[in-house]
Amino acid sequence: MALRSIVLEGDSVLHKTCRPVTKFDDRLAQLLDDMRETLSEADGVGLAAPQVGVLRRAVVVLETNVPEGEEPYIIELVNPEVVACEGGQEGPEGCLSVPGRFGLVRRPMDVTVRAQDRHGNEFEVKGHELTARCFCHEIDHLNGIVFTEIASRMLTDEELESGSWQDEAEEE
Ligand code: NI
């Protein structure tokens, strides 16, 4: 495994549509292993292949909704598609490609994703709250969308710290 460098906002690679993964080979396994390591090292909750400069439809997401005493684990999604959404949430969102900045983004509260694993087997996975937000955020990356483009607005450090953005979200 190896760490890969994370592309930062301003790089055109973040605004391109990624191609589907068609070969479930050692190269894909290497990419996913590297993405897992890069995500953990960066202490993030999600990473998409274009963020490491690879224009293929693959993402990793940290599932943090685990029973008490259990460790969060990484979900690998190859060629992911959202197949169902429920509810809504408005909250601050960030991105490893946009370090230190957060914006208010509306997302579904529950999301079901259909994807393939690194061997090409299809499966479905559900995400709630932060995980649902992450699924949507990472799939956006595969379509060349960075959250700063869809945020209702960016937040200041003071707003983040004080939590005052919550009043605004509740007013909707
Ligand atoms: Ni991101």
Side-chain angles (χ1 to χ4, degrees), residues 46 51 94-97 137-138 141:
Q51 291 182 276
C95 178
L96 292 173
S97 295
H137 176 111
E138 302 312 329
H141 273 303

Side-chain angles (χ1 to χ4, degrees), residues 69-104:
E70 288 183 24
E71 288 290 312
Y73 57 93
I74 291 174
I75 303 170
E76 301 174 356
L77 302 170
V78 178
N79 300 325
E81 310 253 8
V82 172
V83 292
C85 294
E86 217 174 299
Q89 56 174 321
E90 172 107 11
E93 193 161 311
C95 178
L96 292 173
S97 295
V98 191
R101 295 176 62 214
F102 295 86
L104 277 185

Side-chain angles (χ1 to χ4, degrees), residues 1-6 33-45 47 60 62 74 96:
M1 294 210 286
L3 285 178
R4 302 210 184 187
S5 34
I6 298 175
D33 284 346
D34 290 355
M35 285 172 65
R36 295 176 81 102
E37 193 179 347
T38 305
L39 177 67
S40 299
E41 172 74 17
D43 211 10
V45 287
L47 186 69
V60 290
L62 187 69
I74 291 174
L96 292 173

